[in-house]
Amino acid sequence: MKHTSASKTSLATSLDPSTKGLPHITLSDFMEVLCALHFASLVVGPIDDNSGLMLVAPSGSLKSSLLMALGNMYAETCVCDSNWYYGKLLKQKALFYNRSRRSLIIPELSSIYAGDPRTGGRMEQMLQQMSGEGSQNTNSTKNDRYEMRAQVFAAMTPEFEQKKEEGWEEGFRRRFLWVHLAMENDEILLDYLTAWRRAEIELSQPI
């Protein structure tokens, strides 16, 4: 892989000459990467922190579909939702506290900022905590402490990443692996849509 910065990795699923020098990966191999990250918290080690992956790709390049496929493959241990907000996540603390759910998936990260910006900021902070040292919550009536940890996966467009770049440098950026994904033929899905056919993509070949 070619590292474009200390925290970013650029990937290209193509053999286009313009991407010469960039690594190439098939969809099936990329799904294996996602699966490995999902189970990474099971590896015994001296550090308890979790992590996660932020997938950056243009619209119409399967970024959200890839993450949702991970959620479908491991539905018993993933929580995938397109409409996350702080209160909703907090209500599911028990699922993450007892580790019955290991990964949190957000198909489109911009959705958490769709309402009150302050709520989006609080959600962002909670994602950092869950993927790092853990988000701790105390039940004031019983003095019970809940520590929420999870692998965090989310997708976004390059434009949205650029918009949030300055604010994320304060800590959000270093919490996750960052992957930039590009397709050689970005019209392949449009061709199937125009023909009103379900896309048939060979997962073992770069597209």
Side-chain angles (χ1 to χ4, degrees):
M1 295 183 180
K2 176 182 178 182
H3 292 271
T4 56
S5 73
S7 57
K8 296 181 182 179
T9 301
S10 293
L11 298 179
T13 58
S14 67
L15 297 177
D16 190 317
S18 65
T19 63
K20 184 178 181 180
L22 292 176
H24 299 84
I25 188 170
T26 64
L27 291 179
S28 59
D29 287 342
F30 186 67
M31 286 305 303
E32 288 188 19
V33 173
L34 295 181
C35 293
L37 283 172
H38 170 62
F39 289 108
S41 60
L42 294 175
V43 178
V44 178
I47 301 176
D48 291 331
D49 287 17
N50 283 49
S51 182
L53 182 142
M54 296 291 150
L55 178 55
V56 184
S59 300
S61 55
L62 300 176
K63 61 182 185 302
S64 297
S65 298
L66 290 170
L67 295 187
M68 289 190 289
L70 176 67
N72 292 333
M73 290 170 63
Y74 302 107
E76 296 299 318
T77 52
C78 288
V79 179
C80 181
D81 199 313
S82 299
N83 298 292
W84 283 110
Y85 56 89
Y86 177 71
K88 185 176 186 178
L89 181 56
L90 197 60
K91 289 178 180 178
Q92 301 196 36
K93 59 177 180 249
L95 294 176
F96 297 101
Y97 172 71
N98 60 25
R99 297 297 181 95
S100 62
R101 298 293 186 272
R102 297 189 172 278
S103 290
L104 173 68
I105 299 174
I106 307 174
E108 182 54 63
L109 188 63
S110 62
S111 64
I112 71 172
Y113 304 92
D116 189 331
R118 295 171 298 179
T119 303
R122 183 66 187 95
M123 184 71 178
E124 182 181 298
Q125 184 181 48
M126 197 166 185
L127 294 178
Q128 291 186 67
Q129 295 170 348
M130 291 180 68
S131 63
E133 71 279 4
S135 177
Q136 296 190 1
N137 297 277
T138 302
N139 185 326
S140 58
T141 59
K142 296 182 180 180
N143 293 320
D144 292 332
R145 296 181 65 189
Y146 294 90
E147 184 177 88
M148 300 167 60
R149 294 179 183 272
Q151 301 290 97
V152 177
F153 297 86
M156 72 194 79
T157 62
E159 293 78 13
F160 182 76
E161 181 198 23
Q162 185 176 14
K163 178 181 177 181
K164 304 292 291 185
E165 180 76 27
E166 184 176 352
W168 283 350
E169 290 298 336
E170 297 178 2
F172 191 81
R173 170 74 67 186
R174 65 174 181 269
R175 289 289 190 184
F176 310 99
L177 298 174
W178 292 76
V179 174
H180 286 232
L181 190 69
M183 298 174 64
E184 177 184 21
N185 182 4
D186 56 6
E187 296 184 354
I188 185 172
L189 300 180
L190 181 60
D191 292 341
Y192 281 107
L193 180 62
T194 303
W196 201 244
R197 292 174 50 201
R198 184 183 180 89
E200 300 175 0
I201 299 174
E202 176 54 57
L203 297 182
S204 62
Q205 298 294 328
I207 60 173

